Structures are given as C-alpha cells and as structure tokens.
Amino acid sequence: MFLTISTTGIPERPATDLGFLLHKHPGKAQAFSTSHGTAHVFYPEATAERCTAALLLEVDPVALVRRGQGKGRGAAPDATLAQYVNDRPYAASSLLAVALSGVFRTALKGQCAARPELPGQSRPLRIEIPALPARGGADLVRRLFGPLGWDSVETEPVVLDERFPEWGDSRYVRLVLEGELKLDDALRQLYVLLPVLDDAKHYWIAPDEVDKLLRAGDGWLAAHPEHGLITARYLARRKRLTQDAMERLELARLAQVDGSEAEELDNAVGETPGESPGEISDAPERSVPLVVRRREAILAALREAGAQRVLDLGCGEGQLVQALLKDPAYTEIVGVDVSVRALTTAARRLRLERMGERQSSRVRLFQGSLAYTDKRLAGYDAAVLSEVIEHLDLPRLPALEYAVFAAARPRTVLVTTPNVEYNVRWESLPAGHVRHRDHRFEWTREEFRAWADKVAGRHGYTVAYEPVGDDDPEVGPPTQMAVFTVRTESPKEGEAA
Ligand code: SAH
C-alpha cells in the first residue's frame, strides 16, 4: 500500500516545508509499527522546488487473520486460502487510512508547533495512489473527490495483468489529485474516502466511529453531494450509526448556513450603497438573505410600536439583541433562552465582558423557559418571539401563550414562524421535510392565523399579519409574522372588549 504527497515551492515558501507539516524530517526514512503492519515514511525527493513524501504500509496478512481482521464483508469463510492471499498488502484500503491517521496524526489535526502559520496555508499538492480499490469504479472516485476543491482528479484503471490485456481492468484505479489545498484538509479527505472506496472495513466499527467521521469530515462532508453514500459506507452501513451521523451532519450544515447568513448581514450593515456590487443593486430584493429580512421586519415593527424596553424571547445566539443595541432608541434589551450554550455564544458575540458600563446597563441575558411564567418578564413594551414557537411541542404552546400574553403581558408581541406552504419553493428541501430538525411543527398561513386570532381574543390583543420575504402569489411568503397589540383598557373606537 502506497501513497505519495508532493508539493512544489518557491524560495520564500520552500517545498521542504512539507516536512514541517507532516512532522517527518525529509532527510530521514522512518518506520512505525501500526496494528496492521509497518508504516514507512520517506522522501524520494526533497528540494526547495519539489518535495515528495511517501507512505508505504507493509501489511502483514497473516497477522491480520490472527487478529480476526482479515475478512472483508463477503470474503471467503475462515480457514481458506483467500484470507492469506488477497489484495491487502498492495491496495490502498482502509488500512492505509488507519496508518495515515496514526503516522500523520498531528498533521491531520492541522497543527504544527514549529511553524504554526503553515497549516493554515493552502499550497500546491499532488497526491498519488497507484492502486486504489474503487468499488463503484473510477466514476465514483471522481464523484467523491470532484467537489472537494481539487483542480484535477485523474483516475486511470489498472489492468489486471499487463501480459494479458484481454483480462481487462481490475477494480483498482491509479488516482492522482492535484490542486491548491491545505494539507490537513487533503489528509482528512483521504482518511474518510479511502475506506469509503474500499467499502469493506477491516476493523471493528465502534460507536465512536461517528465522532471520528464527523471530526475528519469537518468543513467538507456536510455539504458534499454524496454525503449520504460516504456516511453509510464509512460506517459499514450500520443503520443506527448512519442515521445518527446523518442527523449530526444536517445540524452542521444548518450551522454553516446560519454562519454564512450572519456574515452577509455584517457585510450588508457596513456597506455603503455606492460600493455594493452590481449584482446586489440589480436585484436588491433577492440578494438579501431571509434571516436579514426577518430581522429588518422585526426592527421596523418595534420602531412602529415605539418600543424602548424589549424582550427577545428565545434569543438564540443574540443576533437580534446585537442589532437592537446599535439603536439608542432601545433603553433596555433582555435576551432570554432556555439554552445555556446559545446564551454563552450570545454573550461572546456581544462582547458582554468587555462592554462599557453605559452599554452594558442596557442589555441583559438570562436563562429561562417560556413554558413557565416568569416574573422577570413582566412590564416590558414589547416581546419578540422570532422563530421560536415551532420549537415547542404543540401541547406546550398554551403554557407559552399564558406566560407571554397573560403573565408578562407586554404592549406589543411579535411572533414569526415559517410558512410551511412556502417549503415547496426551497429547492434544497426534500418534500415533506421541515426546515430545521428541531421544528416540532410548521404551519400554513391559515393555521397560524387560527392560532394567533384565538390567542389575541383570549388575552385582549388585536393582531395584524405581515409577510416577511417575497410574498409568493400562490404559496405566500417564506416567513409569517403576527403583530399583537394590547387593547387599551377603554376602547376608544368602539371595539368590542
Ligand atoms: N430568535 C432567534 C433564535 C431562533 S431558534 C432567531 O430568530 O434567530 C429558537 C430558539 O428558541 C433557540 O435558541 C432555542 O434554544 C429557544 N427555545 C426553544 N424552546 C424554548 C423554551 N421553551 N424557552 C426558551 N427558549 C426556547
């Protein structure tokens, strides 16, 4: 089993930096004993212009059998010759991935104590694997590596025997990857995809394989078009583990989406109209992410209500609180959430620790559940429930209703929630799926109004509805917002109490 990693260099960034990145000196040949044999690391070439590191794993097939690990799925039964005479010593199977992670452990983590700046830099890489078992063929190899940032993914079938061309191709390919990548990203891809292509794990699949997969897949797996196949094969098609991994990947993907939306928001805030790229001014509506439009709609409604002291109920990671702080009209801003983790992130985002006294006297975050009445919430001008109600189980909703509309009783309450009718317009959302794994329900416009009308009636509020995002003529807007306003004690315009 053999693989080489090459890079080229320039005088300021010599190719031999590869030695630092891999934590293996280019001048030495080293051997490491691994659980499946001996791994050798050496450098066939090491100049400032070009440097190649080779990893050679000498597998001991007899030891594998003794350890009970010589059998792939569907392999011959025990005590047959196939256990001893097989491709294990030659092909870059999952065993090579195990060796890779053992020998280049620190490099895989993207750490380099001697030159801490190196791992963060991408550099020209060429990775060659002369015999890669590819169940699924060269086509699958390209589908797996294609979306991962390589300039070229070259696969060449390996013939079974050069002396007998009529025997045709083997199930191995020679793989050459070339592109500008960070070394740890490349290694983490190989660590996951070698066993995926091999599709026969030769060691025990423990529950922590899911953690290993997610760690190695961090930053690339969640958004990979083949993440389903990768996950299932990596986990040897264990149903429970695969499902667990898929759910966690979905959360990671959502977190990435949220993150990028937040960035766009920050950019949008700092941008002067004259400097905005053409694309944005051509299509001002479309280019603004929904999360931003939701926040703008909320801010506009709060301004309209003349609110000064505001509750953000289910404040999450504090984006709205942050926006409110920027406007001196808000004299007191309170973020409440049940999740300590979200509140910790919010505090960090707001730099609560380093805030001056005047700012910090305007803002407070505390933990609380909206399913319970809480004295601390009484007496505010307005409360915002932005994308929160759908996170409560329906039977808990009356408790939230009581806590907010009867007990806390702010003058204005803003509630936003997804409009499920709009889901057919999200191209990436499979039919019948909710937008977030934690959503307990998503309502149509009619369902939302039925609920909000009743709530308003029961607690003496009036309610108006506003679309947020493009209001589609057929299915309505992506987000729906209800603006509740408390009825004054003595209705002036002859309204029924
Ligand atoms: N308001 C934010 C976050 C929405 S996500 C925004 O618009 O982006 C929903 C939030 O509601 C999460 O942070 C979750 O922790 C919180 N949440 C869910 N159930 C809750 C409850 N019972 N009490 C308080 N917060 C709750």
Side-chain angles (χ1 to χ4, degrees), residues 75-341:
D78 282 6
T80 68
L81 205 55
Q83 289 182 76
Y84 297 94
V85 182
N86 55 36
D87 68 356
R88 291 290 129 222
Y90 316 108
S93 68
S94 49
L95 300 185
L96 187 62
V98 177
L100 190 86
S101 76
V103 173
F104 299 136
R105 180 181 302 276
T106 317
L108 218 82
K109 287 191 200 146
Q111 292 169 355
C112 180
R115 300 277 304 278
E117 79 286 1
L118 284 182
Q121 299 166 354
S122 46
R123 59 180 312 135
L125 292 178
R126 180 180 189 280
I127 291 179
E128 176 169 354
I129 302 173
L132 173 70
R135 278 171 232 262
D139 174 57
L140 180 62
V141 178
R142 281 190 300 269
R143 261 163 45 218
L144 293 183
F145 286 99
L148 293 176
W150 299 95
D151 295 333
S152 107
V153 178
E154 193 190 304
T155 53
E156 191 190 306
V158 175
V159 292
L160 264 180
D161 193 321
E162 277 160 11
R163 288 167 304 165
F164 303 98
E166 66 275 17
W167 287 5
D169 293 338
S170 67
R171 64 182 183 86
Y172 304 97
V173 297
R174 188 179 79 100
L175 171 69
V176 179
L177 302 166
E178 281 181 317
E180 285 256 341
L181 268 83
K182 290 193 295 177
L183 182 67
D184 68 300
D185 286 343
L187 292 177
R188 288 185 299 115
Q189 293 173 11
L190 292 173
Y191 174 73
V192 173
L193 296 181
L194 291 182
V196 163
L197 284 161
D198 191 19
D199 199 19
K201 279 248 175 182
H202 301 283
Y203 48 90
W204 178 244
I205 305 276
D208 77 336
E209 286 293 322
V210 174
D211 296 319
K212 285 189 199 159
L213 171 66
L214 294 177
R215 255 196 316 264
D218 186 33
W220 63 271
L221 182 54
H224 195 296
E226 297 289 354
H227 68 275
L229 178 145
I230 295 170
T231 305
R233 278 197 180 193
Y234 184 90
L235 297 168
R237 298 192 171 81
R238 300 292 157 87
K239 272 228 175 67
R240 279 256 308 283
L241 296 182
T242 304
Q243 193 180 341
D244 178 26
M246 290 295 280
E247 285 178 1
R248 287 166 62 186
L249 281 173
E250 174 66 5
L251 286 177
R253 203 182 53 74
L254 283 163
Q256 275 171 15
V257 171
D258 283 357
S260 64
E261 283 177 346
E263 260 169 49
E264 281 179 63
L265 169 71
D266 292 341
N267 294 344
V269 168
E271 218 164 52
T272 58
E275 284 165 0
S276 60
E279 207 188 318
I280 289 182
S281 48
D282 284 344
E285 294 268 290
R286 299 210 146 269
S287 61
V288 182
L290 183 58
V291 60
V292 178
R293 297 182 70 173
R294 193 154 51 221
R295 208 159 302 139
E296 282 169 356
I298 291 168
L299 291 172
L302 287 175
R303 227 172 292 132
E304 175 112 334
Q308 297 185 315
R309 303 176 58 239
V310 179
L311 296 169
D312 184 8
L313 304 177
C315 63
E317 299 184 348
Q319 288 94 336
L320 178 65
V321 172
Q322 188 175 36
L324 290 169
L325 262 174
K326 289 191 180 140
D327 186 339
Y330 301 104
T331 56
E332 193 179 337
I333 306 148
V334 177
V336 181
D337 204 287
V338 75
S339 156
V340 175
R341 200 188 52 78

